[in-house]
Amino acid sequence: MSTDAPYHDFVPPHRVLMGPGPSMVHPRVLQALSQPLLGHLDPVFLGLMNEIQASLRATFQTQNEFTIALSGTGSAGMEAVIANLIEPGDRAIVGVNGVFGTRVATMIERSGGIPLPIESPWGTPIPVEALHDELVRSAPVKAVVLVHAETSTGARQPLQDVGALCRSHDALFIVDAVTSLGGMPVDVDGWGIDACYSGTQKCLSCPPGLAPLTVSPRGMSAIRKRRVPCHSWYLDLSLIAEYWNDHSRAYHHTAPISMLYGLREALRLVHEEGLAARAARHQWNSEALLAGLQTLGLAPLPQAGHRLPMLNCVTLPPQIDENTVRQQLLQDYGIEIGGGLGPLRGRVWRIGLMGESSQQAHVFTLLNALEEIFTSHDWLSQPGLAVQAAVATYTHSEGSARRSP
Ligand SMILES: *Cc1c(COP(=O)(O)O)cnc(C)c1O
């Protein structure tokens, strides 16, 4: 018997996923993923695709006919939107206040476009007035791209007034809703968004692998009127539309069948709970967590009013060796949280309460673990305050966030 052949079972250890994604997945979704396969043109499978489109429209709050789940993770959604809507020579304004805005700018450049970055300090939203000024100064501008929920900083970007502004300058409005969708309102039609992409692994609580995506009729017409075909064949939305369109169903690439089973079930869970109740649950759990963390000396990076409920980015007191504590959380308690990226490396933690991970039990588990670890390092004189502060917050919000699946 060969000892180096991997003939043993792989059993992942139990983890409480409280990082920046992936989030925990409901057992019903795991079960859906293990169902027998259908062909990608089987009428039963095509029916399932139609159901997914209808649930995605409800989740994005849009009537857009072109609303699909693209093969690939959230970054594939980002790349598809940029590669299809930005043609060589197009100018596109992009809000840059973290990792993901920076990634969008890179993709605009690689598509031959000219990124016009509007920068804000990490953790601070992009001011709408700055977008207005740049639209005037750099006209004509093809598109404005904003990241709704900047996962690298925990900052929430206000979007309400941007759609009308873009329309008055004949620019398309593109939004990254990878982390926000399923955890806070994303009102595609109400906010005048022309293209919005997301990912399955954050607040939708499905494994990574699909990118929900919706494009307005204005956006689709810009794609159809391109001067040159999209440089990416795989992500060419005009070709992909022919497969999702119920009247053509033309083969483009084989749909990831099992992932779509999983997404259907994840969306069913979203709508069983209801978008408003789900957003409220994310909000309450975040408030309780932050109240507890504050007693440990961990303060939220973004200002009040600009914080994300699903991604709590907190700064650390200088005496704390963040990497040691993070490894201890993982090894001894089975809890995953995220460290800082780029300029925030070593200075912050990013604690995700996304989708199924956003539970009162997880808030208490993490606060208890941190109190124990901090006490063992002599960083804490009076243990118990963090949990008390969280309890007080829940009591205050009348316990409405108490959902344990
Ligand atoms: C996670 C994330 C992405 C990228 O998604 P992947 O699934 O990692 O490809 C893009 N934008 C934001 C805001 C994200 O949080």
Side-chain angles (χ1 to χ4, degrees):
M1 195 174 81
S2 159
T3 50
D4 48 14
Y7 288 151
H8 53 83
D9 287 344
F10 174 69
V11 182
H14 177 74
R15 295 282 193 244
V16 178
L17 296 177
M18 300 179 77
S23 60
M24 299 182 83
V25 172
H26 195 282
R28 267 170 53 189
V29 174
L30 294 176
Q31 200 167 24
L33 288 164
S34 66
Q35 294 299 305
L37 294 204
L38 290 168
H40 65 103
L41 293 171
D42 187 310
V44 175
F45 184 72
L46 299 178
L48 177 133
M49 291 174 72
N50 289 339
E51 287 176 0
I52 287 175
Q53 289 191 281
S55 314
L56 281 179
R57 286 187 193 107
T59 314
F60 276 121
Q61 302 186 52
T62 184
Q63 309 287 327
N64 289 343
E65 188 190 324
F66 187 77
T67 304
I68 68 157
L70 188 78
S71 309
T73 63
S75 304
M78 183 190 285
E79 185 132 32
V81 164
I82 299 302
N84 281 271
L85 287 173
I86 304 302
E87 293 188 65
D90 282 347
R91 281 194 286 268
I93 295 173
V94 52
V96 177
N97 55 352
V99 165
F100 294 101
T102 310
R103 186 177 293 183
V104 169
T106 305
M107 288 187 184
I108 292 170
E109 213 164 344
R110 289 198 184 190
S111 285
I114 299 154
L116 306 170
I118 304 286
E119 297 190 17
S120 261
W122 285 38
T124 310
I126 309 293
V128 176
E129 311 78 64
L131 299 174
H132 171 264
D133 295 348
E134 188 67 33
L135 278 163
V136 171
R137 183 170 44 235
S138 300
V141 168
K142 178 73 171 283
V144 173
V145 193
L146 290 176
V147 177
H148 191 199
E150 188 36 275
T151 319
S152 59
T153 67
R156 171 207 296 253
Q157 175 66 44
L159 300 174
Q160 277 87 328
D161 306 324
V162 182
L165 177 67
C166 288
R167 230 150 268 238
S168 70
H169 291 268
D170 202 24
L172 297 165
F173 183 27
I174 298 174
V175 171
D176 176 320
V178 176
T179 284
S180 52
L181 193 71
M184 59 197 267
V186 176
D187 187 356
V188 166
D189 288 358
W191 298 342
I193 299 172
D194 292 299
C196 188
Y197 56 87
S198 187
T200 44
Q201 53 140 325
K202 313 250 168 122
C203 290
L204 296 176
S205 274
C206 193
L210 291 172
L213 166 64
T214 186
V215 181
S216 71
R218 218 161 77 98
M220 288 312 283
S221 120
I223 292 174
R224 292 211 182 84
K225 288 196 298 226
R226 284 182 63 100
R227 300 180 296 271
V228 288
C230 176
H231 65 86
S232 169
W233 179 88
Y234 192 73
L235 296 176
D236 185 335
L237 295 181
S238 62
L239 299 178
I240 291 169
E242 293 307 303
Y243 174 52
W244 283 85
N245 182 336
D246 212 19
H247 303 292
S248 47
R249 296 293 182 187
Y251 165 70
H252 176 255
H253 65 271
T254 310
I257 310 292
S258 309
M259 281 308 303
L260 288 157
Y261 292 171
L263 179 59
R264 179 190 183 275
E265 196 59 30
L267 291 170
R268 201 151 76 104
L269 285 160
V270 168
H271 294 295
E272 276 173 15
E273 182 176 11
L275 289 177
R278 200 172 170 91
R281 170 166 63 87
H282 280 82
Q283 189 60 38
W284 281 318
N285 286 328
S286 169
E287 283 171 15
L289 176 72
L290 289 180
L293 291 176
Q294 247 146 348
T295 70
L296 300 173
L298 308 180
L301 178 76
Q303 299 270 302
H306 299 308
R307 294 176 191 151
L308 295 174
M310 68 286 291
L311 195 284
N312 302 273
C313 184
V314 289
T315 57
L316 296 154
Q319 75 270 25
I320 289 176
D321 173 6
E322 74 86 16
N323 192 46
T324 304
V325 180
R326 225 157 15 93
Q327 295 319 315
Q328 232 175 323
L329 279 172
L330 190 69
Q331 303 303 332
D332 301 345
Y333 298 85
I335 302 172
E336 177 181 277
I337 65 169
L341 298 175
L344 297 178
R345 180 175 296 277
R347 292 180 44 214
V348 300
W349 278 337
R350 294 178 304 141
I351 304 172
L353 289 171
M354 299 181 175
E356 292 300 320
S357 293
S358 175
Q359 291 182 35
Q360 181 176 285
H362 294 161
V363 170
F364 286 134
T365 302
L366 177 63
L367 291 176
N368 268 311
L370 286 175
E371 287 199 322
E372 279 178 33
I373 296 172
F374 280 28
T375 305
S376 74
H377 289 288
D378 262 345
W379 294 331
L380 202 62
S381 47
Q382 201 187 347
L385 294 182
V387 170
Q388 271 176 35
V391 170
T393 308
Y394 281 125
T395 312
H396 199 67
S397 59
E398 312 207 293
S400 321
R402 287 160 203 253
R403 169 185 179 260
S404 35

